[in-house]
Amino acid sequence: MKERIIFGYDPFVIPFTLGVIFILLYLGTGTVRILLSLKREEAINLLSSIFSVKIFKTFKDILFDVLLHIKIFKRNILLGYMHTSIAFGWFMLIFIGHIEVILYTPQRNGVIYYPVFFRYFVMETSQTLRGAFFFFLMDLFLLIVISGVALAIYKRFRSVRLGMKRTTRLKTGDKIALWSLWMIFPLRLLAESFTADISGGSFLTSTINNLLGRFAESTLYMDTIWWAYSCALALFLFALPFSRYMHIPTEILLIFLRNAGIKSTSSRDGFAESEIYSCSSCGICIDACPMSVSGNKSEYTSVYLLRKLRRRRQDSLFMAEQCLMCGKCVELCPVEIDSCRLKLLKKRENFPNKIFDYDYLGKREPVVESRANLEKKSKVLYYAGCMTHLTPQIYRSLFNIMDRAKIEYSFMDRDGSICCGRPLILSGGENAAKDLVEANSKIILSSNADILLLSCPICFKVFNENYNLKGVKVMHHSQYINLLIQEEKIKLKKGDFSVVYHDPCDLGRGSLVYTEPREVISAAAILKESSNLPNESICCGGSLASRRFTQSERDSVTLHSLEKLNVNNPQKLVTSCPLCLKSFAKLNKRETLDIAQLVENQMI
Amino acid sequence: MEGDVLIIGGGPAGMETASRISDFKRNVILVEKERELGGHILKWDRLFPDGILASDITNELKASLGNTKVILGSYLASIEKRDDYHFVAQLSSGEIIRCSSVVLATGFKLFPAQKKQEYGYGLYDRVITNEDLETRFKKSEGLGKEAPKRVGFVHCVGSRDEKICNKQCSKLCCITAVKQAIELKQLYPDAEIFCFYMDLRMYGRGYEDLYLEAQSKYGIRFIRGRVSEISQDQSGLVIVKAEDTLASRPLKITLDWVILMAGIISERENDYLTQQLSLQLGEDGFINSLDPIIKTDQTNIPGVFVTGSATGPKTLPEVLSEARSTALTVNEYLNKIKNG
C-alpha cells in the first residue's frame, strides 16, 4: 500500500480539520477550567488517584461506561447495543485508522485528518493485499456503527421497542448534532466505497463499489462524497458543544474526578459542570421518575433540570423544588450523575438563611421519659419524630414488641420533638438545620444511650448522615426487630397471608436497608415481590422534599406506586415508614400496615 | 314482587319519598339494608337547631308510610334496566322485584375517623366521634359518671381535607358540634369546652344564634386552628396539639375527652349499583344529578331518580323537602309513561 496523493493533502479535509481544532481547544479550555476550580485537597486526591492502582479502576470504568455501556445493556439489550455499537464501533474505527497510518504511511503520523480519510490518500499496490486484514476490520466496525445508527433512527419513531416509553425532547443544537451524526457513517461508507477500487476495500465497500460500477469511478462524484463526509464530520464537531453529545468527551473527565472521590459543592460549577455536561439526555430518568405519571410533570425530570442548569437558567430552582427526591433517577442513571445532590445545592444556594431564628431551642428543657435503668448497659433511646407522632399505632406496636422482648427503653420525644432537621435540609436550609441537629445531639448524647431507635426513615437518614453521635448506634425499627428475632427475644408465627413490601426511598435507596425488613416479613408472612426491584421502588407520593406538588398530583403518584406494588396480588401491603403508610393507607384497597404492626400481630 | 317504584334506602329521604308517592295511589316498595327504618338518625339523640328528639321524627315518618311495602334487612344484589319502563332487581334474599322506576335514597357514610390516625380514634379510649357521643346521649350515658373537666371538639375530621381525599364540606358538622357542645355543657356545667375549627359555617336559620349563645351563655371557647395531632398521657388523658391561628401561637392542651366531628362521605358501597345502572358519579363519589338546579332529583338514566344526601351532604329539612319534590317528579314520570 502506498500514498496516492503526493503531499497527502486535499482541500476537502479543511472543514473536518477546523472542526477538530475547534473542539480540541474547546475541550481543553473546559477541562482546565474545571481542574482549576478544584480545591487543594481535591486536586491532591485527583493526582493520587491517577498515580496509584486506582487508575486501573478508572480505565475499567471508562471502558465499561463510555465505550461498552454495560449499564444500558442491563436495562435493555437493544438499547445497549445501540449505544455500544456507535460508541465502541466509532472508537475502533479511529483506533484502527491510526494503526493503519502508523503501519503503512508512517511519514504522515500525527497529521490530524490522515487516519480519518486514510482510504482517500492511499492506493492498494495490487497482488499483495497487505491491507486486507485491516480493511476487513474497518468494514466490520463500520457495519456495526451503521447498524447502531439504524437502531437510533428507529428509536426516534418507536422508542418503546428499545424499552423506553418516553424519550427526551431535543433542542436545536441536539438536532443538528443528531442529524450530522446520522449522516457521518452512511457518507463514510459511500466515500470509502467510491474509492474502494483504488484504495482497496473489503466485503462492504468493495461490494458497493462493484454494484455502483461506473458511477463510482467518476472523480467528480468521488470528490463530492468525500467533501460531504468531511462536512458532516465538521458539522458534528462544531455542534458538539451545543448538543447533548458533549457527554462523550466529558464523561471521561467525570470518571477521573469521581474516582478521586470528588463531589459537587455547587449546583453548576466545578465538578458539577462535568456532571451536567456528562448527561447524555438518554431519557432513562424520564421513565424512572414518579413525576412522569402526573400530567405535564415529566418536564421537571432530572434530564431537563440538568439542561436548565447547563444553560444557567433561573427556572432551574423552580424545577429543583418540584422534585420528590426519591433518588430513583440517580439509581438508574447510566452515567451515575447525582442530580439529587445538584438539586439540593441549587436550593441551598437560594435559601433565605437570615430569616430563621432558632434561639428558642436553647430555652427548652426537654424531658426524656425514661423507662430504662440508667446504670444498665445497652440502653435504647426511642425517637418518634413528627411523622411517627402522626401515626401513633406504629410506636404503640413497637413498644409492645419491646415490652415482650423485655427491652428497656426511653422515649425521647414523648412530649413533643425537636425536628430531626431533614425537612429543612431538603428545602435547602442545611445551615439553619445545624441548630436543630445540635439541640437533638445534646439530648441524645446526654442520655447515655447505646442505640438510637427510629421509626421514620426520613429521620434515620439524617441521623446517620448529618449527626455526629459518637458511640450511639442509629437503628431503624425494622433493623432492630430483625435483631430481636435473631436473638430470639421475640418469636413469630408465620402467617398464611401474602404481603408485599414497599421500600421507603430514604430507607432503601437512601440508607441501603433492603434485607432486614424482608427478613422480618419473611418470618411473619409470605413475602411477595412487586414489579420493581427493591432499589427501583417508586415514591409513595408523600415526600417532604417537593414544595410544588399538589395533593391530587401526589395522589396520582401514590396510585401509580400502588399499581406496581399490587401487581402480584398480595393480601396486604407492608412498609416501614410512617409517611409511606399514611400515603398508601388512604388509597390502597388492601390492608396497609407498618412492619411493627405486622410483627405485633404475629408474635407468639 | 312487582311495583311502580322501587326505593333503595330507608332513611328519612327514602321514607318521605315512599310516603308521598304512595299518596298518589302508587305501588311503592322500600328496601332497607338494616333491620330497622331510620338511617343515620336512629343513632342520634336530639337534632339541631332546636333539640327535637330524633326518634320523634323517625316515628312520624314511619307512621305516614301508608301502603308502602317495606323490606328490611335486605340489600340489592343486582339491578338491571330491561327496557325504558322496566327494571328488574334482585335482593340479597333472592327475591326478584320488577318495577317501572327506581329512586336511590342511599344516603351517605360517616368518615371512618381511624383513617386520620394522628387523631388516635380507635387507639385512645377517650377519643370518640360525633356519632359515638350521640349514642351515649341516647343511652343517657353522657361521658361517664365522673364529670369531665375539659372536653375538646375537633371540627372537619375527614372533610375539607385533601390529604385524606375528601375535599367537600360536610355542611352539618359545624352546627352539630355547637349543639353537642351545648348539650355537654348542660350536662356538666363545670366542664371547660373547646372547639377547634377552620372556619364556622353557620348558614342556616337559627344556627348563628346558637353559635353566639354557645359563647355568651355557655362559655364554650372556639379556637381557630386545625388540630395537628392527638396523643395520650400515662393517665389516659388526651393531649391535643394545635395552632391558635388568631393568636399566631402553637398550643398544647390536656383534655379529658376529645370528640371528632367525622365528616360526611359518599356511600361507596353502592358503587356496584351505580355501575350496573350506568349512573354518573362526581369526583367526590356522590351521584351526579342531571343538573344541579332544576333537575336535582333526576339522573342521566330515565326512570332512575336520586334523592337526599346520595347527591351530597344535606340537612334533614333539606332532605325532606327534596324527598317531596322527588315524589312529584316520579309521579309525573309514571303518568307520562302510562300515557305513552
Side-chain angles (χ1 to χ4, degrees), chain A residues 369 386 389-396 414-416 551-552 555 581-582 586-587, chain B residues 115 117-118 120 123-124 162-165 228-234 239 241 252:
Chain A
E369 187 240 346
C386 61
H389 270 301
L390 296 180
T391 48
Q393 181 62 57
I394 295 180
Y395 65 71
R396 273 196 151 202
R414 171 160 204 135
D415 298 314
Q551 192 58 45
S552 60
D555 290 347
L581 181 70
K582 273 185 93 68
K586 63 175 181 185
L587 288 168
Chain B
K115 272 197 173 183
Q117 210 191 90
E118 55 264 49
L123 291 176
Y124 314 135
E162 257 197 308
K163 283 192 170 173
I164 208 78
C165 305
S228 62
E229 62 187 74
I230 297 176
S231 53
Q232 197 178 26
D233 73 2
Q234 275 123 328
I239 303 165
K241 277 193 219 164
K252 197 163 95 176

Side-chain angles (χ1 to χ4, degrees), chain B residues 74-118:
Chain B
S74 267
Y75 59 88
L76 253 69
S78 69
I79 185 159
E80 193 189 337
K81 186 171 181 173
R82 284 284 163 83
D83 55 57
D84 275 0
Y85 316 117
H86 190 194
F87 293 87
V88 178
Q90 188 175 21
L91 296 183
S92 51
S93 57
E95 192 168 353
I96 305 281
I97 294 178
R98 295 168 195 283
C99 57
S100 315
S101 63
V102 178
V103 179
L104 291 160
T106 44
F108 63 90
K109 205 167 77 177
L110 274 186
F111 173 74
Q114 58 272 20
K115 272 197 173 183
K116 198 86 183 155
Q117 210 191 90
E118 55 264 49

